[in-house]
Amino acid sequence: LRSSTVARMTVTIPWLGVLVAFVVAFVANFLWFGPKTMFPIWWRALGHTDEEQLENGDGMAKVFGLTIVGLLVQVLTMSWILQACAALYDQEVTVGTGLLVGALVGAGIAAAASLGHRLFAGQGLKVWAIEVGGDILGLTLIGGVLSFWL
């Protein structure tokens, strides 16, 4: 076995950047799934009619609460990934790097991971594309925004 030295990395949490990235991604996803944008298309692709209301037995407070927690985890994870990339390549994180890494995480991890779930659920590629489109957009923006604080 070969011995190697691994550089130590200090991870910081840029709380202001996390807050701004969170708000930007939340607004972007709100617009992506708005009533005049992708929501009606997605709703019909799931097999619902326009007249059917979105009903959730768990309550919308729980849905939004868990969505907020999930988005916060995404922002914190992206902060760590960008810092790891900077340490690995011994470079500062630029806006371009943040956007690129965010897009790659969105497309290469979030989108790829959910593909099988949507297909096995019988929901098809259209539902998948609409759902991951918002994820890719959000993660791309998160990476770009965080680059200002890293």
Side-chain angles (χ1 to χ4, degrees):
L1 292 174
R2 213 166 81 185
S3 157
S4 64
T5 304
V6 177
R8 292 184 184 237
M9 180 180 100
T10 303
V11 175
T12 60
I13 300 174
W15 289 110
L16 181 58
V18 166
L19 176 63
V20 172
F22 175 89
V23 170
V24 167
F26 189 86
V27 170
N29 277 290
F30 175 79
L31 294 173
W32 180 267
F33 265 106
K36 301 289 184 194
T37 54
M38 292 301 198
F39 180 82
I41 301 164
W42 173 77
W43 190 246
R44 286 189 300 275
L46 285 171
H48 299 291
T49 65
D50 291 341
E51 291 76 33
E52 289 180 88
Q53 295 293 315
L54 177 62
E55 295 178 14
N56 190 310
D58 292 334
M60 292 310 287
K62 182 178 178 181
V63 170
F64 275 101
L66 291 174
T67 299
I68 287 168
V69 169
L71 183 55
L72 181 60
V73 169
Q74 288 180 38
V75 175
L76 291 169
T77 302
M78 184 60 68
S79 174
W80 180 85
I81 290 171
L82 289 171
Q83 291 177 64
C85 288
L88 179 64
Y89 294 107
D90 195 26
Q91 295 182 21
E92 291 187 26
V93 177
T94 65
V95 175
T97 302
L99 292 170
L100 178 62
V101 171
L104 291 173
V105 168
I109 296 175
S114 70
L115 178 59
H117 301 297
R118 296 288 72 77
L119 295 179
F120 277 104
Q123 295 173 332
L125 289 174
K126 188 174 189 177
V127 168
W128 170 78
I130 292 168
E131 289 178 358
V132 300
D135 294 335
I136 294 168
L137 172 64
L139 287 163
T140 301
L141 293 172
I142 290 167
V145 169
L146 284 174
S147 68
F148 289 102
W149 280 271
L150 298 175

